[in-house]
Amino acid sequence: MKSSKNGSLPSDDTSFDHYESLVSAEIELIQRVNEIRQNFSFSDSERIVEPILQRISKIKSEKSNLEKKLNLN
């Protein structure tokens, strides 16, 4: 298999790119949750953010798996 400039395998490069996109998505979703909580009443905001928080949890789990695979932890 051909290696990239930094010596990692192409599949590692793809995994790291995916990891970077997960980090970006997590940051963006956390910002959205904070905005919603600032702009809505508590009961409304919690109902609205629940699915977003579930998605953040899935992203964190997927990130953790990639961190292990890429030896980032």
Side-chain angles (χ1 to χ4, degrees):
M1 213 177 237
K2 226 179 187 183
S3 60
S4 66
K5 293 177 189 174
N6 65 3
S8 63
L9 298 174
S11 63
D12 286 347
D13 290 343
T14 302
S15 295
F16 190 75
D17 289 345
H18 183 61
Y19 178 79
E20 286 181 308
S21 69
L22 289 173
V23 170
S24 294
E26 180 183 16
I27 291 168
E28 185 175 328
L29 290 173
I30 290 169
Q31 289 172 340
R32 297 293 174 254
V33 167
N34 290 333
E35 290 171 5
I36 291 167
R37 285 183 171 156
Q38 288 175 358
N39 293 313
F40 290 88
S41 69
F42 178 78
S43 60
D44 287 340
S45 69
E46 291 310 302
R47 180 179 44 80
I48 294 168
V49 300
E50 182 58 33
I52 301 169
L53 294 175
Q54 290 174 4
R55 180 64 186 132
I56 291 170
S57 178
K58 288 178 184 176
I59 288 171
K60 286 182 179 186
S61 175
E62 194 171 345
K63 268 182 34 193
S64 177
N65 291 337
L66 281 173
E67 287 168 353
K68 290 175 189 167
K69 177 181 176 182
L70 296 169
N71 295 316
L72 297 176
N73 40 348

